[in-house]
Amino acid sequence: LSLVSAMNRVQLLGRVGQDPIMRQVEGKNPVTIFSLATNEMWRTGDSEVGQGGESALFLCNLGDVSQKTTWHRISVFRPGLRDVTYQYVRKGSRIYVEGKIDYGEYTDKNNVRRQATTIIA
């Protein structure tokens, strides 16, 4: 019997893009916010299969390496984790983040409706 009907879970390993900031909106709990960059790398082009010692096969990728960087907005609400993140995490730090995806909407200063994707850690 499984009680889980759905799951919203994200695991990221990357580098922090800016020193975390702590914000507090009146009447709400503070939140620590920072950006995290993750890199995805792959080879494009042809592959070649070769044979090594003792009949071992190996795959040689002859293509170019391509890379894509994705930026993620991370929000930390839990009091202990929020404070440690704010105090010790710095721009360039390599960290692991686990949380859930949150989709939201807001209206910017030009009265334009925007969508935002945030990882809640």
Side-chain angles (χ1 to χ4, degrees):
L1 178 67
S2 176
L3 299 177
V4 178
S5 62
M7 182 181 290
N8 179 355
R9 185 174 177 169
V10 177
Q11 297 175 311
L12 301 170
L13 178 62
R15 295 222 179 250
V16 176
Q18 69 197 34
D19 287 347
I21 58 170
M22 191 177 293
R23 289 193 180 153
Q24 183 165 6
V25 177
E26 191 174 319
K28 295 190 177 187
N29 290 331
V31 59
T32 296
I33 300 167
F34 63 95
S35 60
L36 185 74
T38 56
N39 293 317
E40 191 176 346
M41 296 177 72
W42 66 92
R43 287 194 181 269
T44 56
D46 297 330
S47 296
E48 185 175 285
V49 176
Q51 190 165 352
E54 308 225 1
S55 299
L57 292 176
F58 62 91
L59 182 64
C60 244
N61 245 329
L62 304 174
D64 294 328
V65 175
S66 295
Q67 178 176 308
K68 176 185 175 188
T69 300
T70 303
W71 287 95
H72 309 273
R73 177 184 169 99
I74 313 295
S75 295
V76 186
F77 289 94
R78 288 186 295 174
L81 185 58
R82 173 192 65 217
D83 300 334
V84 167
T85 301
Y86 180 71
Q87 187 173 3
Y88 294 107
V89 172
R90 291 293 168 250
K91 178 180 179 176
S93 299
R94 185 170 186 235
I95 64 169
Y96 169 80
V97 172
E98 189 171 306
K100 66 178 184 174
I101 297 176
D102 182 62
Y103 299 102
E105 290 185 351
Y106 66 96
T107 302
D108 69 11
K109 61 184 177 185
N110 297 321
N111 210 26
V112 176
R113 205 166 171 195
R114 304 270 182 193
Q115 294 182 341
T117 303
T118 304
I119 306 302
I120 308 296

